Amino acid sequence: MIARIAALAASFLLLMFAPSALGAEQLEATPPMGWNSWNHFGGNVTDADVRGAADALVSSGMRNAGYIYVNIDDTWQGKRDAQGVIHPNNKFPGMKALADYVHSKGLKLGIYSSPGPKTCAGYEGSYGHEAQDAKTYAAWGIDYLKYDECSFGDIIERESHGDRRKAAEIEMHGYEKMHQALVATGRPIVFSVSSPVFYKVWEWGSAVGGNLWRTTGDIGDHYYSMATIGFSQAGLAKYAGPGHWNDPDMLEVGNGGMTEEEYRTHMSLWAILAAPLIAGNDLTKMSPETLALLTNKDVIAVDQDKLGRQGDRVWAVGPMELWDKPLSGGAKAVAMFNREDGATSMAFNLSDVGFRQGATLKDLWTGKEVHARNGSYAALVPAHGVVLLRVSQ
Ligand code: GLA
């Protein structure tokens, strides 16, 4: 396994220096931001929905806040023709025209496939057609591919005969194959490695060209799902950096299953995690509160900080957790999370996060400067809520 990872890493390095390869470091120097159809539209998404999302990204101000990708998830695929070329189904009359439309708005278009023969929703995958599909995507003007394991898992099971090491090798190879095919097109296409299950993806996602990789199962639009996924990311910070990000799944903000405080926790935790910010709500019917949560400039700046460091847990005491994230210029984002069902008073010492008395604190959700007393900061944190600060000396 180690030899295999080393070999993958070596081929990745070679790719980085090959003139045809736009290195992963150049793509997505900060975590990708955009919108994806799955969490709200699921299998019903149409061309009109995607155009509507693109229009709304512009009119709402989200594009200018950094949400650039418009990603079509599963269920766009139709049949392959006699030459094996994939065509969209009748929900998507023309992918090139759709890409042109999205590009005309100053946005980028993403698409979805699988290294297996079928996608998770049972549509056509790319197995055996990797190079052909990559060329088709490039010709359409696609800028981002989410590549989701799905039925490839069955192939891995069958071919590995229960040997975990072999399973991991086949899994990595499946992703590497598509990465090579994307690079060969000469078009920069962000590569999103989705939900592989046989080996810890954070240890190999970047070696197979992943700009981001799913570290968890699917998020659901309720606090316990979001919190379980988000807080489970402790310890993964060292695997993330410019061009290659851990992906704890897309946002549920605005989908209706959480309170405003819970969605605030969702945004804050994803920002601390330097997670991709891929909105998953219906952008054409967004409340002002949802828009405010998605576009808070200070919170986005934490996620998108150019240092590119993922944050981590500092301490946890029962349901209270303190997390921090290093920012450029020596500052830090610091989050006090309350996972309890009732409001609770929380405090931390500036020294817990590497600062001394006299540090400057800004509450990023109220926009106000706040003050530590005797080297510690205390606040009432709402049920399932957060206080998110920017601390600088
Ligand atoms: C998997 C992924 C989801 C979504 C669906 C589509 O479950 O994890 O994010 O893409 O497939 O079928």
Side-chain angles (χ1 to χ4, degrees):
M1 166 55 72
I2 287 169
R4 176 67 183 160
I5 290 176
L8 282 170
S11 64
F12 174 66
L13 279 177
L14 279 176
L15 275 174
M16 293 275 305
F17 294 108
S20 64
L22 236 196
E25 304 297 333
Q26 283 159 279
L27 270 183
E28 303 317 293
T30 60
M33 291 177 67
W35 174 86
N36 174 293
S37 58
W38 187 255
N39 283 355
H40 177 77
F41 292 97
N44 298 321
V45 64
T46 64
D47 179 285
D49 296 328
V50 175
R51 286 172 192 249
D55 293 346
L57 281 172
V58 178
S59 62
S60 66
M62 281 179 69
R63 178 195 63 188
N64 292 348
Y67 293 86
I68 292 298
Y69 290 100
V70 182
N71 293 348
I72 309 167
D73 207 276
D74 208 347
T75 78
W76 63 266
Q77 306 88 336
K79 298 278 169 246
R80 293 187 183 279
D81 63 23
Q83 281 70 47
V85 176
I86 186 80
H87 294 273
N89 58 40
N90 58 16
K91 296 191 296 160
F92 289 88
M95 280 298 183
K96 174 84 174 71
L98 179 55
D100 289 347
Y101 183 79
V102 167
H103 292 156
S104 77
K105 303 263 160 186
L107 298 163
K108 296 182 177 209
L109 186 64
I111 211 162
Y112 171 99
S113 191
S114 170
K118 292 282 174 220
T119 65
C120 294
Y123 286 68
E124 195 68 22
S126 292
Y127 185 69
H129 294 273
E130 293 82 359
Q132 196 171 29
D133 285 358
K135 276 190 201 143
T136 302
Y137 303 153
W140 285 341
I142 296 295
D143 306 292
Y144 184 118
L145 173 67
K146 174 172 166 184
Y147 207 47
D148 207 355
E149 186 149 302
C150 311
S151 65
F152 193 52
D154 305 336
I155 292 179
I156 299 173
E157 292 279 11
R158 204 165 58 233
E159 292 181 0
S160 61
H161 307 291
D163 177 343
R164 298 286 296 174
R165 192 186 59 86
K166 182 105 175 82
E169 272 177 22
I170 301 170
E171 184 170 62
M172 285 182 246
H173 185 64
Y175 285 93
E176 198 187 13
K177 210 167 171 186
M178 181 50 101
H179 170 62
Q180 304 277 6
L182 293 175
V183 169
T185 68
R187 184 177 175 85
I189 298 178
V190 172
F191 190 39
S192 160
V193 171
S194 191
S195 299
V197 293
F198 288 94
Y199 194 70
K200 302 169 193 163
V201 62
W202 44 90
E203 294 194 351
W204 55 268
S206 123
V208 299
N211 298 110
L212 60 158
W213 47 82
R214 277 281 295 280
T215 51
T216 72
D218 288 10
I219 195 167
D221 185 21
H222 49 93
Y223 176 75
Y224 294 99
S225 165
M226 180 278 290
T228 304
I229 283 177
F231 291 112
S232 76
Q233 302 300 289
L236 295 187
K238 66 175 184 225
Y239 300 101
H244 49 98
W245 307 102
N246 289 309
D247 172 11
D249 207 359
M250 305 173 288
L251 298 171
E252 290 284 11
V253 176
N255 277 334
M258 294 185 228
T259 66
E260 196 177 336
E261 286 306 336
E262 291 169 342
Y263 282 139
R264 200 186 315 285
T265 295
H266 189 6
M267 278 303 287
S268 305
L269 186 49
W270 264 235
I272 287 278
L273 294 171
L277 297 179
I278 308 291
N281 56 316
D282 182 354
L283 303 178
T284 66
K285 299 191 181 76
M286 210 173 2
S287 69
E289 291 76 24
T290 294
L291 183 59
L293 286 169
L294 288 169
T295 55
N296 179 308
K297 277 197 170 55
D298 288 335
V299 177
I300 289 176
V302 169
D303 181 80
Q304 296 287 303
D305 185 83
K306 63 178 189 294
L307 201 57
R309 297 267 306 274
Q310 179 172 330
D312 215 332
R313 182 185 282 140
V314 179
W315 51 249
V317 179
M320 295 183 278
E321 300 204 11
L322 188 77
W323 287 61
D324 73 358
K325 176 188 197 281
L327 303 175
S328 43
K332 273 187 174 176
V334 177
M336 295 194 284
F337 292 104
N338 170 20
R339 299 180 65 174
E340 199 146 64
D341 297 341
T344 193
S345 174
M346 275 185 75
F348 69 94
N349 296 319
L350 290 173
S351 59
D352 294 348
V353 287
F355 290 91
R356 301 180 304 280
Q357 286 208 29
T360 303
L361 281 67
K362 182 179 179 188
D363 182 319
L364 300 185
W365 286 110
T366 64
K368 299 217 168 84
E369 195 175 322
V370 293
H371 300 281
R373 305 216 186 289
N374 303 322
S376 88
Y377 180 68
L380 186 70
V381 188
H384 297 174
V386 64
V387 169
L388 181 64
L389 306 167
R390 184 178 193 281
V391 184
S392 53
Q393 197 67 52

